[in-house]
Every structure is written in C-alpha cells, then in structure tokens.
Amino acid sequence: MTLFEQGYDFEKFMHLNDGEYVDKAEEFLQLSSDALTEELKSALNSITAAKVLVFAEVWCPDCVINVAALETLAKHNPAISYRILPRDGFEDALKSLTPDGSTRIPTFISMDADDSPKGYFLEKPKAVKKVEEGDDQVKRIVVKRDYRNGKYLLDALEELMEIL
C-alpha cells in the first residue's frame, strides 16, 4: 500500500482527538471559502488532475489552517485529490520526501503521475515566514496573531495552487 493510500481524508482529520478541533477546522474552512477570489476560482477550474500527500497533526494550528485551505480547493475542484498522514510514525517517509529532509508540519507534497514529488508547501505562507524571520518582535506577534485568525488564508490558497 502506498503512502497516499494509507492516508485519510479531511473528515477523519477533523475528528481525530475525539473531535476536539472540529470547530476550529470548520471555522477555517469557512474563512478559506470566503477568501477564494474569482481569479483563484478560475485558475482552480483549469486543474484537470492533482494529487497531494499531506503530513499534518490535528493539534497543530498551522496544520488545521492550511489543511482547511487545501480542503476548500478540493471541494471546488474534485480533480484535486489528497490524503493526510500523521507525522508521528511517518517521520522517515517525510524526511525522504522533503527537499531539506525536515519533518516540519504541515508539509504538502504535490505528486506527479508516477507519485514523485513535484512541489512543496511547508508549514505556512511565505509572507508569514518572512516576518517571523525578521527582527521586529512586535510585527512578528501581530502577524502570528493575524495568521492564526485566518488573515493569511488567501496567501495559503495561492501558494497551494502554485504546487498543484
């Protein structure tokens, strides 16, 4: 059985840990759907096939935010298929598939027809990472709060589209 076949869908992801994170996941699903622009919807409709393997844990805020964004894209275009695996128990597979050998989550790996990696989205949108790497502590706190409140979902949606 391939890694992809071992994975599970968004519904199961949301209900892990006795459904403790269902409300948060549903909130980010709605925010992701609201963030979809007409331009993104148009680009999304042009995708004829996409396959993504996701490594994520439901207790991780970054995972819930960004997996909900991918679910939103997949809901709008059924040609996008994806499966989620936990990091725990799959660390070696994750290391072997990421460009830097890391085990950061969430990790989204788009795959070609031969199941070879062709694109990556790691952890969070680049705009958030850029600020987090900076020296301005106040700006870092504000961006992190905004990100955790869904204000960077459009960035996540666009970057996920880039790997599809």
Side-chain angles (χ1 to χ4, degrees):
M1 184 181 294
T2 67
L3 285 172
F4 192 84
E5 292 167 338
Q6 292 177 60
Y8 41 83
D9 63 13
F10 186 73
E11 192 67 28
K12 181 172 180 182
F13 176 73
M14 281 194 327
H15 288 91
L16 294 172
N17 291 32
D18 296 323
E20 181 179 346
Y21 300 95
V22 169
D23 290 344
K24 262 302 182 201
E26 288 178 346
E27 175 187 343
F28 284 111
L29 266 178
Q30 184 59 55
L31 290 170
S32 294
S33 185
D34 293 347
L36 273 179
T37 63
E38 290 305 315
E39 184 179 333
L40 258 179
K41 287 177 187 176
S42 177
L44 188 55
N45 289 336
S46 70
I47 294 172
T48 56
K51 185 175 179 181
V52 182
L53 181 61
V54 180
F55 290 88
E57 301 283 354
V58 73
W59 50 259
C60 166
D62 294 336
C63 293
V64 173
I65 293 166
N66 295 301
V67 173
L70 181 59
E71 172 68 6
T72 297
L73 296 175
K75 276 186 170 181
H76 280 80
N77 185 337
I80 300 169
S81 64
Y82 73 95
R83 287 288 176 259
I84 306 164
L85 287 171
R87 173 176 56 192
D88 295 343
F90 290 92
E91 295 90 349
D92 290 341
L94 180 54
K95 280 181 192 176
S96 73
L97 291 169
T98 55
D100 60 359
S102 73
T103 59
R104 295 175 287 170
I105 55 171
T107 294
F108 297 75
I109 305 164
S110 63
M111 307 177 103
D112 64 17
D114 297 321
D115 286 341
S116 296
K118 69 174 194 170
Y120 305 90
F121 175 92
L122 304 173
E123 291 183 288
K124 56 189 80 161
K126 293 173 190 154
V128 175
K129 288 182 191 177
K130 184 176 180 179
V131 172
E132 287 181 345
E133 293 166 358
D135 294 331
D136 188 334
Q137 184 67 22
V138 172
K139 194 171 184 180
R140 287 168 47 190
I141 291 168
V142 169
V143 166
K144 185 174 185 171
R145 181 199 63 219
D146 287 349
Y147 167 65
R148 295 272 168 93
N149 286 324
K151 293 188 179 170
Y152 285 85
L153 278 165
L154 179 57
D155 295 84
L157 291 163
E158 290 172 344
E159 288 181 37
L160 287 166
M161 285 289 294
E162 287 173 13
I163 71 167
L164 299 176

